[in-house]
Every structure is written in structure tokens, then in C-alpha cells.
């Protein structure tokens, strides 16, 4: 967060030529901050199944589907549910709402007739490819869904009829996680770490896991 603040005030000082940003930038430059400890929390497959069951129970089927996709495809939350950004920013979208557009999430068009999904990640623009028939949780969610739509966002909120906004997705996920007895120290974003850890503990080759998670090392 401190790094983000420094970036913001550097932008204000150099691009906006703002005196107050320049002043704060200088102050921050001389300040030292203790680095946070690396997080070690992760979600287990058992917890994923509990969350999915509870989400279906409360009628948030899209959240259950998203949880399955995140865990079994080692996806970041943004790559699964996408994000809403101002319409003036770069990127074409067919999903618009009140000056915002939706980008970067999974789409039905990315799944072919063999149930292979291909998606470009939001963080580094790396292509991923996964056979959904090898993802039992995802296949269970597809079976509950029935017929797959031909196009459009895959994860759509039952509350709005639109792709989830990230803050509301996290809020609803936390409510469900607490109802399942999952500690608050565990986040939805830990799905990816949990998937990688369980894959390694199951004896999968390190290079295979690295490739699936689009890690460079």
C-alpha cells in the first residue's frame, strides 16, 4: 500500500505538477516502513466444497461456480470474475453499465466444444489452457447449470444480473466463509495458493504445476 501511495504522489508531482503531491513525495521518500510478513494461509479442497455447498444453499450459485474455477484452474479472482473499469479506459467490452465496462473475466466463448478453456491472464497477459473434464468441481457446477450459454461473462451475480463487482463478491464470499466456520485470516484469493499447495502435496511434477499456475519460476 505504501508503494501504491508513492506511485500516486509521484504521478501527482510529475504529471499533474501538484505542489502538495511533490511535498508528500519528498516526505515519503525519507520514510522507512516495516515489510509485512508473507502470508501462509491457503484454502483446502474440503473448504472449497463446503463453501460451494453453502453458496448453493443461499442461492449464490455463481459464487460456487467461481470458487470451483478459481481453485481447480489456479485462477486469480480477477481472471475469474473480471473487473469493472471506467468506460474511457482502454479495452473493448460488450458489457456496459452506468459509465463502466467489464473486462478480463472468463467468457463462455473461451470454452470450445471439447470443454477446453483458453484465457489470457490479467496480470501478465499469459495464455492459459485447461481441460475442464479434468476438473471435477467445475464439471459438477456445469452439470447444475445445464445448457451452457454461447457467449458472455461466465460468472454473473444473481443479485444484479451483471458480472460481480469485486468488493461485493468478496463481501458475500466472507459471509459464506464465516457461516462455514472458515477463519477470517483465510481469503478468497488464497484459493490459488491452496490449489498449488495441494497439487504439489499430491506429487504432481513441479514444472507441471508451475505451467498451470503461469508462474515463471
Amino acid at each position: 500500500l505504501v508503494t501504491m501511495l508513492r506511485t500516486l504522489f509521484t504521478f501527482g508531482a510529475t504529471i499533474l505538477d501538484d505542489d502538495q503531491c511533490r511535498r508528500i513525495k519528498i516526505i515519503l521518500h525519507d520514510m522507512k516502513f516495516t515489510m509485512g510478513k508473507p502470508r501462509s494461509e491457503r484454502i483446502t479442497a474440503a473448504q472449497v466444497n463446503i463453501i460451494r455447498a453453502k453458496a448453493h444453499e443461499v442461492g449464490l450459485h455463481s459464487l460456487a461456480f467461481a470458487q470451483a474455477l478459481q481453485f481447480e484452474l489456479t485462477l486469480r479472482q480477477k481472471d475469474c470474475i473480471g473487473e469493472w473499469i471506467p468506460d474511457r479506459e482502454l479495452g473493448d467490452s460488450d458489457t456496459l453499465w452506468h459509465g463502466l465496462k467489464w473486462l478480463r473475466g472468463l467468457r463462455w466463448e473461451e470454452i470450445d466444444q471439447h470443454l477446453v478453456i483458453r484465457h489470457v491472464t490479467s496480470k501478465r497477459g499469459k495464455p492459459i489452457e485447461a481441460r475442464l473434464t479434468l476438473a471435477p468441481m467445475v464439471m459438477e457446477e456445469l452439470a447444475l447449470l445445464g445448457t451452457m450459454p454461447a457467449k458472455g461473462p461466465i460468472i454473473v451475480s444473481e443479485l444484479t444480473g451483471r458480472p460481480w463487482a469485486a468488493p461485493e463478491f468478496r463481501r458475500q464470499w466472507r459471509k459464506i466463509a464465516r457461516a462455514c466456520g472458515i477463519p477470517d485470516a483465510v481469503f478468497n484469493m488464497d484459493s490459488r495458493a491452496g490449489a498449488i499447495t495441494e497439487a504439489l502435496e499430491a506429487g504432481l511434477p513441479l514444472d507441471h504445476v508451475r505451467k498451470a499456475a503461469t508462474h515463471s519460476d
Side-chain angles (χ1 to χ4, degrees):
L1 290 176
V2 171
T3 299
M4 295 169 81
L5 281 175
R6 283 177 166 148
T7 301
L8 284 171
F9 289 122
T10 297
F11 174 84
T14 58
I15 305 300
L16 303 181
D17 195 26
D18 184 88
D19 289 337
Q20 294 302 322
C21 287
R22 190 175 295 109
R23 181 179 66 85
I24 298 174
K25 179 179 182 296
I26 293 171
I27 293 172
L28 282 174
H29 177 74
D30 295 328
M31 296 180 71
K32 305 297 181 184
F33 298 89
T34 302
M35 294 293 291
K37 296 180 180 179
R39 300 185 70 255
S40 59
E41 287 79 9
R42 64 185 180 94
I43 294 177
T44 66
Q47 289 173 325
V48 168
N49 284 326
I50 294 171
I51 290 170
R52 289 171 55 216
K54 189 64 177 180
H56 283 302
E57 181 183 319
V58 301
L60 295 179
H61 311 293
S62 62
L63 193 147
F65 195 5
Q67 180 63 88
L69 287 163
Q70 282 181 263
F71 187 81
E72 290 198 309
L73 304 188
T74 62
L75 291 175
R76 293 180 176 86
Q77 186 186 100
K78 185 188 295 185
D79 286 314
C80 187
I81 69 171
E83 67 174 341
W84 289 95
I85 65 173
D87 187 40
R88 65 180 178 274
E89 293 190 16
L90 293 176
D92 296 325
S93 174
D94 59 358
T95 305
L96 308 173
W97 182 74
H98 287 205
L100 300 173
K101 59 185 176 185
W102 178 85
L103 292 170
R104 302 184 180 93
L106 297 177
R107 298 182 62 89
W108 290 111
E109 302 97 301
E110 295 175 325
I111 303 177
D112 68 15
Q113 67 271 27
H114 303 296
L115 293 184
V116 174
I117 187 167
R118 296 175 177 85
H119 180 75
V120 177
T121 62
S122 59
K123 187 172 184 179
R124 292 189 174 91
K126 291 185 176 181
I128 60 170
E129 180 177 313
R131 190 174 296 278
L132 298 184
T133 52
L134 301 179
M137 295 181 189
V138 174
M139 293 303 294
E140 288 174 4
E141 295 297 333
L142 286 174
L144 291 172
L145 182 67
T147 304
M148 293 194 307
K151 62 180 181 178
I154 291 180
I155 304 300
V156 175
S157 169
E158 289 82 2
L159 303 177
T160 64
R162 297 183 296 274
W164 285 89
E168 182 62 14
F169 180 87
R170 289 192 290 267
R171 191 177 75 85
Q172 294 294 339
W173 187 93
R174 176 56 58 198
K175 287 173 59 177
I176 289 172
R178 283 175 178 163
C180 294
I182 295 174
D184 283 356
V186 176
F187 302 155
N188 171 258
M189 69 177 183
D190 297 325
S191 301
R192 180 174 163 87
I196 293 171
T197 300
E198 293 214 4
L200 293 174
E201 289 178 350
L204 271 70
L206 181 62
D207 189 62
H208 180 85
V209 178
R210 179 191 60 77
K211 182 179 178 181
T214 65
H215 277 185
S216 299
D217 51 30

